[in-house]
């Protein structure tokens, strides 16, 4: 699974230098994170996720769902099929026919 740092940086029209200045990181460090030659520490993931206004899990490359009832983000089990997800793990409200479970989209 590939992280989405580069994707979000380009989508926001930023250079490595601009993003680096915004989050306090050097260009070469960001480049290594984007190309997965280095792994960011959790605090860096959080800083980048906050900057892009996305969940950390989404930035790391996971599929992330948004509960339309409570607004929480969650990652399904790796082999989960959408139709098998019966409730949000946070609010525990069951989904009923017609409810929508949205895949997180930063746009």
């Amino acid at each position: 699974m590939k992280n989405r740092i580069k994707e979000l940086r380009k989508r926001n029209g930023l250079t490595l230098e601009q993003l680096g200045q915004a989050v306090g990181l050097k260009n070469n460090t960001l480049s290594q994170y984007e190309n997965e030659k280095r792994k960011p520490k959790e605090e860096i993931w959080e800083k980048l996720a906050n900057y892009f206004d996305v969940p950390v899990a989404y930035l790391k490359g996971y599929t992330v769902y948004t509960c339309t009832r409570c607004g929480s983000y969650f990652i399904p089990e790796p082999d989960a099929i959408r139709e098998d997800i019966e409730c949000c793990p946070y609010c525990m409200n069951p989904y009923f026919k017609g409810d929508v479970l949205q895949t997180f989209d930063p746009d």
Side-chain angles (χ1 to χ4, degrees):
M1 158 182 42
K2 189 162 173 49
N3 74 53
R4 295 183 171 104
I5 299 170
K6 187 175 193 173
E7 172 191 330
L8 288 169
R9 176 178 62 78
K10 289 189 171 198
R11 185 181 297 169
N12 285 274
L14 299 168
T15 64
L16 279 169
E17 185 176 349
Q18 291 169 324
L19 178 58
Q21 287 175 347
V23 296
L25 295 170
K26 295 182 181 180
N27 303 356
N28 63 336
T29 301
L30 276 172
S31 178
Q32 290 175 347
Y33 292 160
E34 286 184 351
N35 295 305
E36 299 189 335
K37 292 180 181 173
R38 283 180 66 183
K39 294 228 181 241
K41 293 181 180 179
E42 198 59 34
E43 64 197 41
I44 301 298
W45 282 119
E46 290 173 14
K47 187 181 281 192
L48 289 165
N50 287 338
Y51 179 80
F52 289 118
D53 194 27
V54 299
V56 171
Y58 178 82
L59 188 62
K60 288 181 175 182
Y62 291 99
T63 297
V64 177
Y65 288 110
T66 306
C67 176
T68 55
R69 291 184 181 212
C70 72
S72 296
Y73 302 118
F74 66 94
I75 304 168
E77 294 295 321
D79 298 332
I81 298 170
R82 164 57 193 106
E83 291 75 24
D84 292 341
I85 300 172
E86 296 178 358
C87 68
C88 168
Y90 297 106
C91 67
M92 300 306 287
N93 279 324
Y95 291 108
F96 299 99
K97 188 173 183 175
D99 282 353
V100 178
L101 183 61
Q102 301 172 346
T103 302
F104 178 80
D105 182 1
D107 290 328

